[in-house]
mmCIF file of all heavy atoms in Angstrom:
data_model
loop_
_atom_site.group_PDB
_atom_site.id
_atom_site.type_symbol
_atom_site.label_atom_id
_atom_site.label_comp_id
_atom_site.label_asym_id
_atom_site.label_seq_id
_atom_site.Cartn_x
_atom_site.Cartn_y
_atom_site.Cartn_z
ATOM 1 N N SER A 569 -38.238 6.265 26.084
ATOM 2 C CA SER A 569 -38.631 6.284 24.679
ATOM 3 C C SER A 569 -38.037 5.057 23.921
ATOM 4 O O SER A 569 -37.130 4.316 24.468
ATOM 5 C CB SER A 569 -38.165 7.595 23.961
ATOM 6 O OG SER A 569 -36.776 7.671 24.009
ATOM 7 N N ARG A 570 -38.408 4.792 22.688
ATOM 8 C CA ARG A 570 -37.920 3.695 22.017
ATOM 9 C C ARG A 570 -36.411 3.738 21.694
ATOM 10 O O ARG A 570 -35.713 2.755 21.861
ATOM 11 C CB ARG A 570 -38.635 3.586 20.591
ATOM 12 C CG ARG A 570 -39.956 3.029 20.480
ATOM 13 C CD ARG A 570 -40.398 2.942 18.988
ATOM 14 N NE ARG A 570 -39.594 2.192 18.208
ATOM 15 C CZ ARG A 570 -39.650 2.010 16.895
ATOM 16 N NH1 ARG A 570 -40.671 2.560 16.211
ATOM 17 N NH2 ARG A 570 -38.882 1.234 16.149
ATOM 18 N N HIS A 571 -35.958 4.976 21.444
ATOM 19 C CA HIS A 571 -34.507 5.130 21.277
ATOM 20 C C HIS A 571 -33.739 5.260 22.492
ATOM 21 O O HIS A 571 -32.523 5.360 22.528
ATOM 22 C CB HIS A 571 -34.277 6.227 20.340
ATOM 23 C CG HIS A 571 -34.894 7.557 20.776
ATOM 24 N ND1 HIS A 571 -34.385 8.438 21.734
ATOM 25 C CD2 HIS A 571 -36.108 8.166 20.417
ATOM 26 C CE1 HIS A 571 -35.161 9.347 21.890
ATOM 27 N NE2 HIS A 571 -36.088 9.294 21.152
ATOM 28 N N GLY A 572 -34.390 5.406 23.685
ATOM 29 C CA GLY A 572 -33.732 5.493 24.906
ATOM 30 C C GLY A 572 -33.188 6.944 25.206
ATOM 31 O O GLY A 572 -32.699 7.179 26.378
ATOM 32 N N GLY A 573 -33.423 7.849 24.347
ATOM 33 C CA GLY A 573 -32.911 9.192 24.600
ATOM 34 C C GLY A 573 -33.820 10.122 25.401
ATOM 35 O O GLY A 573 -33.425 11.193 25.752
ATOM 36 N N THR A 574 -35.091 9.740 25.530
ATOM 37 C CA THR A 574 -36.001 10.514 26.254
ATOM 38 C C THR A 574 -36.534 9.719 27.494
ATOM 39 O O THR A 574 -36.962 8.565 27.441
ATOM 40 C CB THR A 574 -37.274 10.873 25.452
ATOM 41 O OG1 THR A 574 -36.851 11.625 24.283
ATOM 42 C CG2 THR A 574 -38.258 11.701 26.307
ATOM 43 N N LEU A 575 -36.215 10.423 28.685
ATOM 44 C CA LEU A 575 -36.553 9.784 29.932
ATOM 45 C C LEU A 575 -37.449 10.730 30.670
ATOM 46 O O LEU A 575 -37.260 11.914 30.694
ATOM 47 C CB LEU A 575 -35.363 9.485 30.818
ATOM 48 C CG LEU A 575 -34.245 8.705 30.188
ATOM 49 C CD1 LEU A 575 -33.055 8.631 31.193
ATOM 50 C CD2 LEU A 575 -34.638 7.403 29.726
ATOM 51 N N GLU A 576 -38.566 10.248 31.292
ATOM 52 C CA GLU A 576 -39.419 11.112 32.034
ATOM 53 C C GLU A 576 -39.776 10.423 33.417
ATOM 54 O O GLU A 576 -39.722 9.192 33.453
ATOM 55 C CB GLU A 576 -40.706 11.415 31.429
ATOM 56 C CG GLU A 576 -40.529 12.249 30.109
ATOM 57 C CD GLU A 576 -41.809 12.888 29.631
ATOM 58 O OE1 GLU A 576 -42.779 12.732 30.255
ATOM 59 O OE2 GLU A 576 -41.757 13.560 28.587
ATOM 60 N N TYR A 577 -39.784 11.200 34.487
ATOM 61 C CA TYR A 577 -40.056 10.845 35.820
ATOM 62 C C TYR A 577 -41.112 11.595 36.457
ATOM 63 O O TYR A 577 -41.306 12.815 36.235
ATOM 64 C CB TYR A 577 -38.740 10.943 36.558
ATOM 65 C CG TYR A 577 -37.708 10.138 36.105
ATOM 66 C CD1 TYR A 577 -36.667 10.573 35.188
ATOM 67 C CD2 TYR A 577 -37.508 8.789 36.486
ATOM 68 C CE1 TYR A 577 -35.596 9.881 34.771
ATOM 69 C CE2 TYR A 577 -36.458 7.919 36.000
ATOM 70 C CZ TYR A 577 -35.576 8.502 35.093
ATOM 71 O OH TYR A 577 -34.468 7.779 34.704
ATOM 72 N N GLU A 578 -41.911 10.973 37.306
ATOM 73 C CA GLU A 578 -42.855 11.686 38.172
ATOM 74 C C GLU A 578 -42.036 12.514 39.166
ATOM 75 O O GLU A 578 -40.921 12.071 39.480
ATOM 76 C CB GLU A 578 -43.699 10.634 38.874
ATOM 77 C CG GLU A 578 -44.865 11.159 39.597
ATOM 78 C CD GLU A 578 -44.581 11.572 41.008
ATOM 79 O OE1 GLU A 578 -43.773 10.887 41.651
ATOM 80 O OE2 GLU A 578 -45.221 12.444 41.553
ATOM 81 N N ASP A 579 -42.440 13.626 39.528
ATOM 82 C CA ASP A 579 -41.647 14.554 40.273
ATOM 83 C C ASP A 579 -41.058 13.971 41.531
ATOM 84 O O ASP A 579 -39.961 14.252 41.981
ATOM 85 C CB ASP A 579 -42.427 15.850 40.626
ATOM 86 C CG ASP A 579 -42.634 16.726 39.415
ATOM 87 O OD1 ASP A 579 -41.921 16.524 38.365
ATOM 88 O OD2 ASP A 579 -43.516 17.629 39.517
ATOM 89 N N SER A 580 -41.908 13.211 42.274
ATOM 90 C CA SER A 580 -41.481 12.715 43.580
ATOM 91 C C SER A 580 -40.400 11.677 43.495
ATOM 92 O O SER A 580 -39.664 11.319 44.523
ATOM 93 C CB SER A 580 -42.681 12.154 44.329
ATOM 94 O OG SER A 580 -43.058 10.907 43.755
ATOM 95 N N VAL A 581 -39.992 11.110 42.349
ATOM 96 C CA VAL A 581 -38.973 10.124 42.208
ATOM 97 C C VAL A 581 -37.714 10.601 41.500
ATOM 98 O O VAL A 581 -36.791 9.894 41.360
ATOM 99 C CB VAL A 581 -39.557 8.808 41.459
ATOM 100 C CG1 VAL A 581 -40.823 8.302 42.187
ATOM 101 C CG2 VAL A 581 -39.662 9.069 40.000
ATOM 102 N N LYS A 582 -37.847 11.844 40.930
ATOM 103 C CA LYS A 582 -36.647 12.443 40.203
ATOM 104 C C LYS A 582 -35.559 12.446 41.178
ATOM 105 O O LYS A 582 -35.579 12.855 42.264
ATOM 106 C CB LYS A 582 -36.957 13.848 39.778
ATOM 107 C CG LYS A 582 -37.926 13.839 38.593
ATOM 108 C CD LYS A 582 -38.157 15.343 38.073
ATOM 109 C CE LYS A 582 -39.019 15.327 36.840
ATOM 110 N NZ LYS A 582 -39.336 16.737 36.502
ATOM 111 N N GLY A 583 -34.431 12.051 40.626
ATOM 112 C CA GLY A 583 -33.229 11.957 41.447
ATOM 113 C C GLY A 583 -33.013 10.720 42.256
ATOM 114 O O GLY A 583 -31.878 10.556 42.825
ATOM 115 N N ARG A 584 -33.972 9.931 42.352
ATOM 116 C CA ARG A 584 -33.923 8.718 43.182
ATOM 117 C C ARG A 584 -34.096 7.506 42.252
ATOM 118 O O ARG A 584 -33.478 6.459 42.625
ATOM 119 C CB ARG A 584 -35.006 8.689 44.270
ATOM 120 C CG ARG A 584 -34.961 9.881 45.239
ATOM 121 C CD ARG A 584 -35.941 9.732 46.354
ATOM 122 N NE ARG A 584 -37.276 9.723 45.974
ATOM 123 C CZ ARG A 584 -38.193 8.622 46.275
ATOM 124 N NH1 ARG A 584 -37.734 7.611 46.856
ATOM 125 N NH2 ARG A 584 -39.443 8.740 45.907
ATOM 126 N N PHE A 585 -34.940 7.508 41.288
ATOM 127 C CA PHE A 585 -35.236 6.411 40.426
ATOM 128 C C PHE A 585 -34.563 6.638 39.082
ATOM 129 O O PHE A 585 -34.532 7.716 38.539
ATOM 130 C CB PHE A 585 -36.680 6.181 40.277
ATOM 131 C CG PHE A 585 -37.452 5.809 41.430
ATOM 132 C CD1 PHE A 585 -36.912 5.734 42.682
ATOM 133 C CD2 PHE A 585 -38.794 5.390 41.239
ATOM 134 C CE1 PHE A 585 -37.756 5.357 43.818
ATOM 135 C CE2 PHE A 585 -39.585 4.940 42.438
ATOM 136 C CZ PHE A 585 -38.942 4.957 43.664
ATOM 137 N N THR A 586 -34.172 5.584 38.416
ATOM 138 C CA THR A 586 -33.591 5.583 37.105
ATOM 139 C C THR A 586 -34.157 4.381 36.233
ATOM 140 O O THR A 586 -34.081 3.262 36.606
ATOM 141 C CB THR A 586 -31.996 5.419 37.122
ATOM 142 O OG1 THR A 586 -31.533 6.501 37.915
ATOM 143 C CG2 THR A 586 -31.512 5.542 35.786
ATOM 144 N N ILE A 587 -34.738 4.791 35.123
ATOM 145 C CA ILE A 587 -35.246 3.792 34.173
ATOM 146 C C ILE A 587 -34.199 3.506 33.091
ATOM 147 O O ILE A 587 -33.443 4.499 32.691
ATOM 148 C CB ILE A 587 -36.629 4.174 33.606
ATOM 149 C CG1 ILE A 587 -37.234 3.091 32.730
ATOM 150 C CG2 ILE A 587 -36.436 5.464 32.733
ATOM 151 C CD1 ILE A 587 -38.704 3.438 32.272
ATOM 152 N N SER A 588 -34.079 2.349 32.734
ATOM 153 C CA SER A 588 -33.165 1.970 31.609
ATOM 154 C C SER A 588 -33.732 0.793 30.889
ATOM 155 O O SER A 588 -34.535 0.094 31.272
ATOM 156 C CB SER A 588 -31.735 1.645 32.250
ATOM 157 O OG SER A 588 -31.800 0.448 33.055
ATOM 158 N N ARG A 589 -33.152 0.709 29.677
ATOM 159 C CA ARG A 589 -33.526 -0.442 28.752
ATOM 160 C C ARG A 589 -32.353 -1.114 28.117
ATOM 161 O O ARG A 589 -31.318 -0.468 27.846
ATOM 162 C CB ARG A 589 -34.517 0.085 27.686
ATOM 163 C CG ARG A 589 -33.967 1.064 26.720
ATOM 164 C CD ARG A 589 -35.031 1.644 25.797
ATOM 165 N NE ARG A 589 -35.579 0.595 24.916
ATOM 166 C CZ ARG A 589 -36.858 0.682 24.472
ATOM 167 N NH1 ARG A 589 -37.588 1.719 24.847
ATOM 168 N NH2 ARG A 589 -37.259 -0.228 23.699
ATOM 169 N N ASP A 590 -32.496 -2.436 27.874
ATOM 170 C CA ASP A 590 -31.481 -3.258 27.262
ATOM 171 C C ASP A 590 -32.140 -3.925 26.029
ATOM 172 O O ASP A 590 -32.737 -5.049 26.337
ATOM 173 C CB ASP A 590 -30.743 -4.084 28.236
ATOM 174 C CG ASP A 590 -29.569 -4.842 27.639
ATOM 175 O OD1 ASP A 590 -29.575 -5.021 26.341
ATOM 176 O OD2 ASP A 590 -28.685 -5.251 28.340
ATOM 177 N N ASP A 591 -32.085 -3.401 24.895
ATOM 178 C CA ASP A 591 -32.903 -4.024 23.839
ATOM 179 C C ASP A 591 -32.303 -5.441 23.506
ATOM 180 O O ASP A 591 -33.035 -6.243 23.038
ATOM 181 C CB ASP A 591 -32.822 -3.073 22.586
ATOM 182 C CG ASP A 591 -33.649 -1.789 22.798
ATOM 183 O OD1 ASP A 591 -34.480 -1.764 23.875
ATOM 184 O OD2 ASP A 591 -33.728 -0.910 22.030
ATOM 185 N N ALA A 592 -30.973 -5.593 23.657
ATOM 186 C CA ALA A 592 -30.375 -6.848 23.349
ATOM 187 C C ALA A 592 -30.957 -7.957 24.180
ATOM 188 O O ALA A 592 -30.991 -9.130 23.848
ATOM 189 C CB ALA A 592 -28.871 -6.740 23.479
ATOM 190 N N LYS A 593 -31.259 -7.575 25.508
ATOM 191 C CA LYS A 593 -31.799 -8.522 26.365
ATOM 192 C C LYS A 593 -33.247 -8.624 26.505
ATOM 193 O O LYS A 593 -33.781 -9.354 27.271
ATOM 194 C CB LYS A 593 -31.088 -8.318 27.758
ATOM 195 C CG LYS A 593 -29.636 -8.617 27.777
ATOM 196 C CD LYS A 593 -29.102 -8.342 29.234
ATOM 197 C CE LYS A 593 -27.548 -8.607 29.314
ATOM 198 N NZ LYS A 593 -27.016 -8.412 30.591
ATOM 199 N N ASN A 594 -33.871 -7.706 25.652
ATOM 200 C CA ASN A 594 -35.414 -7.500 25.871
ATOM 201 C C ASN A 594 -35.812 -7.273 27.292
ATOM 202 O O ASN A 594 -36.732 -7.983 27.802
ATOM 203 C CB ASN A 594 -36.026 -8.700 25.264
ATOM 204 C CG ASN A 594 -36.672 -8.490 23.870
ATOM 205 O OD1 ASN A 594 -36.221 -7.649 23.138
ATOM 206 N ND2 ASN A 594 -37.617 -9.332 23.529
ATOM 207 N N ALA A 595 -35.077 -6.303 27.928
ATOM 208 C CA ALA A 595 -35.425 -6.093 29.375
ATOM 209 C C ALA A 595 -35.385 -4.648 29.636
ATOM 210 O O ALA A 595 -34.639 -3.790 29.080
ATOM 211 C CB ALA A 595 -34.398 -6.879 30.196
ATOM 212 N N VAL A 596 -36.167 -4.226 30.612
ATOM 213 C CA VAL A 596 -36.221 -2.856 31.118
ATOM 214 C C VAL A 596 -36.128 -2.919 32.525
ATOM 215 O O VAL A 596 -36.460 -3.812 33.301
ATOM 216 C CB VAL A 596 -37.612 -2.258 30.807
ATOM 217 C CG1 VAL A 596 -37.589 -0.812 31.369
ATOM 218 C CG2 VAL A 596 -37.732 -2.188 29.262
ATOM 219 N N SER A 597 -35.295 -1.890 33.126
ATOM 220 C CA SER A 597 -35.171 -1.915 34.647
ATOM 221 C C SER A 597 -35.546 -0.567 35.203
ATOM 222 O O SER A 597 -35.658 0.381 34.558
ATOM 223 C CB SER A 597 -33.595 -2.129 34.918
ATOM 224 O OG SER A 597 -33.269 -3.479 34.481
ATOM 225 N N LEU A 598 -35.824 -0.591 36.473
ATOM 226 C CA LEU A 598 -36.106 0.583 37.381
ATOM 227 C C LEU A 598 -35.217 0.494 38.610
ATOM 228 O O LEU A 598 -35.579 -0.362 39.417
ATOM 229 C CB LEU A 598 -37.542 0.705 37.677
ATOM 230 C CG LEU A 598 -37.913 2.038 38.417
ATOM 231 C CD1 LEU A 598 -37.879 3.205 37.524
ATOM 232 C CD2 LEU A 598 -39.343 1.890 38.942
ATOM 233 N N GLN A 599 -34.156 1.295 38.634
ATOM 234 C CA GLN A 599 -33.372 1.283 39.878
ATOM 235 C C GLN A 599 -33.946 2.350 40.810
ATOM 236 O O GLN A 599 -34.106 3.511 40.417
ATOM 237 C CB GLN A 599 -31.950 1.680 39.483
ATOM 238 C CG GLN A 599 -30.989 1.881 40.641
ATOM 239 C CD GLN A 599 -30.817 0.584 41.336
ATOM 240 O OE1 GLN A 599 -30.624 -0.462 40.735
ATOM 241 N NE2 GLN A 599 -30.768 0.575 42.644
ATOM 242 N N MET A 600 -34.185 1.886 41.979
ATOM 243 C CA MET A 600 -34.913 2.760 42.926
ATOM 244 C C MET A 600 -34.003 2.887 44.211
ATOM 245 O O MET A 600 -33.718 1.929 44.898
ATOM 246 C CB MET A 600 -36.302 2.146 43.406
ATOM 247 C CG MET A 600 -37.141 1.876 42.151
ATOM 248 S SD MET A 600 -38.820 1.277 42.715
ATOM 249 C CE MET A 600 -38.457 -0.165 43.607
ATOM 250 N N ASN A 601 -33.586 4.170 44.479
ATOM 251 C CA ASN A 601 -32.742 4.403 45.495
ATOM 252 C C ASN A 601 -33.415 5.384 46.457
ATOM 253 O O ASN A 601 -34.404 5.920 46.169
ATOM 254 C CB ASN A 601 -31.463 5.131 45.109
ATOM 255 C CG ASN A 601 -30.607 4.231 44.173
ATOM 256 O OD1 ASN A 601 -30.571 3.010 44.325
ATOM 257 N ND2 ASN A 601 -29.956 4.816 43.183
ATOM 258 N N SER A 602 -32.895 5.483 47.797
ATOM 259 C CA SER A 602 -33.393 6.373 48.826
ATOM 260 C C SER A 602 -34.902 6.201 48.892
ATOM 261 O O SER A 602 -35.665 7.124 48.950
ATOM 262 C CB SER A 602 -33.050 7.807 48.477
ATOM 263 O OG SER A 602 -31.671 7.946 48.386
ATOM 264 N N LEU A 603 -35.364 4.894 49.075
ATOM 265 C CA LEU A 603 -36.754 4.582 48.999
ATOM 266 C C LEU A 603 -37.429 5.128 50.351
ATOM 267 O O LEU A 603 -36.762 5.243 51.379
ATOM 268 C CB LEU A 603 -37.014 3.086 48.974
ATOM 269 C CG LEU A 603 -36.807 2.540 47.561
ATOM 270 C CD1 LEU A 603 -36.620 1.077 47.620
ATOM 271 C CD2 LEU A 603 -38.036 2.886 46.745
ATOM 272 N N LYS A 604 -38.682 5.477 50.032
ATOM 273 C CA LYS A 604 -39.471 6.158 51.225
ATOM 274 C C LYS A 604 -40.794 5.273 51.416
ATOM 275 O O LYS A 604 -41.228 4.667 50.484
ATOM 276 C CB LYS A 604 -39.946 7.565 50.809
ATOM 277 C CG LYS A 604 -38.763 8.541 50.474
ATOM 278 C CD LYS A 604 -39.311 9.761 49.949
ATOM 279 C CE LYS A 604 -38.143 10.796 49.609
ATOM 280 N NZ LYS A 604 -38.579 12.209 49.142
ATOM 281 N N PRO A 605 -41.395 5.349 52.612
ATOM 282 C CA PRO A 605 -42.574 4.672 52.762
ATOM 283 C C PRO A 605 -43.635 5.063 51.759
ATOM 284 O O PRO A 605 -44.420 4.122 51.385
ATOM 285 C CB PRO A 605 -43.028 5.108 54.241
ATOM 286 C CG PRO A 605 -41.690 5.282 54.944
ATOM 287 C CD PRO A 605 -40.803 6.033 53.840
ATOM 288 N N ASP A 606 -43.644 6.218 51.290
ATOM 289 C CA ASP A 606 -44.706 6.653 50.326
ATOM 290 C C ASP A 606 -44.438 5.824 48.908
ATOM 291 O O ASP A 606 -45.351 5.969 48.085
ATOM 292 C CB ASP A 606 -44.637 8.207 50.004
ATOM 293 C CG ASP A 606 -45.324 8.858 51.180
ATOM 294 O OD1 ASP A 606 -45.964 8.198 51.985
ATOM 295 O OD2 ASP A 606 -45.149 10.122 51.210
ATOM 296 N N ASP A 607 -43.373 5.352 48.804
ATOM 297 C CA ASP A 607 -43.151 4.509 47.583
ATOM 298 C C ASP A 607 -43.793 3.161 47.546
ATOM 299 O O ASP A 607 -43.726 2.438 46.527
ATOM 300 C CB ASP A 607 -41.537 4.272 47.311
ATOM 301 C CG ASP A 607 -40.808 5.654 47.021
ATOM 302 O OD1 ASP A 607 -41.436 6.545 46.289
ATOM 303 O OD2 ASP A 607 -39.704 5.876 47.599
ATOM 304 N N THR A 608 -44.367 2.770 48.703
ATOM 305 C CA THR A 608 -44.977 1.494 48.858
ATOM 306 C C THR A 608 -46.146 1.340 47.772
ATOM 307 O O THR A 608 -47.014 2.187 47.877
ATOM 308 C CB THR A 608 -45.362 1.220 50.264
ATOM 309 O OG1 THR A 608 -44.260 1.147 51.117
ATOM 310 C CG2 THR A 608 -46.243 -0.016 50.412
ATOM 311 N N ALA A 609 -46.052 0.351 47.046
ATOM 312 C CA ALA A 609 -47.097 0.245 45.900
ATOM 313 C C ALA A 609 -46.793 -1.137 45.146
ATOM 314 O O ALA A 609 -45.785 -1.744 45.344
ATOM 315 C CB ALA A 609 -47.164 1.304 45.060
ATOM 316 N N VAL A 610 -47.674 -1.520 44.361
ATOM 317 C CA VAL A 610 -47.495 -2.499 43.363
ATOM 318 C C VAL A 610 -47.071 -1.807 42.091
ATOM 319 O O VAL A 610 -47.562 -0.831 41.716
ATOM 320 C CB VAL A 610 -48.735 -3.320 43.013
ATOM 321 C CG1 VAL A 610 -48.411 -4.362 41.904
ATOM 322 C CG2 VAL A 610 -49.325 -4.099 44.287
ATOM 323 N N TYR A 611 -45.867 -2.274 41.567
ATOM 324 C CA TYR A 611 -45.296 -1.628 40.414
ATOM 325 C C TYR A 611 -45.494 -2.496 39.138
ATOM 326 O O TYR A 611 -45.270 -3.661 39.201
ATOM 327 C CB TYR A 611 -43.730 -1.409 40.650
ATOM 328 C CG TYR A 611 -43.392 -0.230 41.638
ATOM 329 C CD1 TYR A 611 -43.764 -0.411 42.939
ATOM 330 C CD2 TYR A 611 -42.883 0.932 41.139
ATOM 331 C CE1 TYR A 611 -43.487 0.696 43.815
ATOM 332 C CE2 TYR A 611 -42.584 2.018 42.039
ATOM 333 C CZ TYR A 611 -42.946 1.856 43.355
ATOM 334 O OH TYR A 611 -42.648 2.830 44.217
ATOM 335 N N PHE A 612 -45.920 -1.748 38.165
ATOM 336 C CA PHE A 612 -46.356 -2.382 36.818
ATOM 337 C C PHE A 612 -45.408 -1.888 35.739
ATOM 338 O O PHE A 612 -45.022 -0.639 35.629
ATOM 339 C CB PHE A 612 -47.684 -2.025 36.542
ATOM 340 C CG PHE A 612 -48.722 -2.531 37.465
ATOM 341 C CD1 PHE A 612 -49.099 -1.715 38.479
ATOM 342 C CD2 PHE A 612 -49.305 -3.772 37.226
ATOM 343 C CE1 PHE A 612 -50.081 -2.189 39.425
ATOM 344 C CE2 PHE A 612 -50.284 -4.220 38.129
ATOM 345 C CZ PHE A 612 -50.690 -3.424 39.275
ATOM 346 N N CYS A 613 -44.853 -2.821 34.912
ATOM 347 C CA CYS A 613 -44.255 -2.473 33.708
ATOM 348 C C CYS A 613 -45.201 -2.419 32.631
ATOM 349 O O CYS A 613 -46.217 -3.218 32.495
ATOM 350 C CB CYS A 613 -43.221 -3.663 33.512
ATOM 351 S SG CYS A 613 -42.231 -3.480 31.928
ATOM 352 N N THR A 614 -45.043 -1.427 31.617
ATOM 353 C CA THR A 614 -45.963 -1.229 30.647
ATOM 354 C C THR A 614 -45.198 -0.989 29.268
ATOM 355 O O THR A 614 -43.998 -0.546 29.291
ATOM 356 C CB THR A 614 -46.862 -0.030 30.769
ATOM 357 O OG1 THR A 614 -45.989 1.157 31.027
ATOM 358 C CG2 THR A 614 -47.648 -0.127 32.102
ATOM 359 N N ALA A 615 -45.838 -1.297 28.181
ATOM 360 C CA ALA A 615 -45.219 -1.249 26.856
ATOM 361 C C ALA A 615 -46.255 -0.587 25.899
ATOM 362 O O ALA A 615 -47.432 -0.800 25.964
ATOM 363 C CB ALA A 615 -44.853 -2.526 26.286
ATOM 364 N N ARG A 616 -45.666 0.316 25.100
ATOM 365 C CA ARG A 616 -46.462 0.994 24.050
ATOM 366 C C ARG A 616 -45.816 0.910 22.718
ATOM 367 O O ARG A 616 -44.687 1.447 22.538
ATOM 368 C CB ARG A 616 -46.561 2.497 24.461
ATOM 369 C CG ARG A 616 -47.336 3.414 23.620
ATOM 370 C CD ARG A 616 -47.417 4.783 24.105
ATOM 371 N NE ARG A 616 -48.306 5.637 23.343
ATOM 372 C CZ ARG A 616 -48.036 6.837 22.929
ATOM 373 N NH1 ARG A 616 -46.774 7.362 23.345
ATOM 374 N NH2 ARG A 616 -48.766 7.613 22.215
#
């Protein structure tokens, strides 16, 4: 969310992926751990 207090994840990535934001740096990150072959894809950043 805008304030960073609400995080949501797709069920298959819960506990493995972490989304974060740094408003001072105008940047968003997605830390992905314990990756699986099913995670193979093109990943897109989106803004609303």
Side-chain angles (χ1 to χ4, degrees):
S569 59
R570 277 186 61 184
H571 53 82
T574 300
L575 309 176
E576 291 197 8
Y577 297 94
E578 194 268 330
D579 286 348
S580 70
V581 308
K582 283 181 181 177
R584 301 188 298 122
F585 290 11
T586 303
I587 188 172
S588 61
R589 61 188 296 151
D590 187 337
D591 290 352
K593 295 183 178 179
N594 255 21
V596 178
S597 296
L598 183 69
Q599 177 67 42
M600 306 187 297
N601 298 328
S602 301
L603 283 162
K604 305 175 181 180
D606 284 349
D607 295 320
T608 295
V610 177
Y611 283 71
F612 298 88
C613 178
T614 59
R616 180 178 182 227

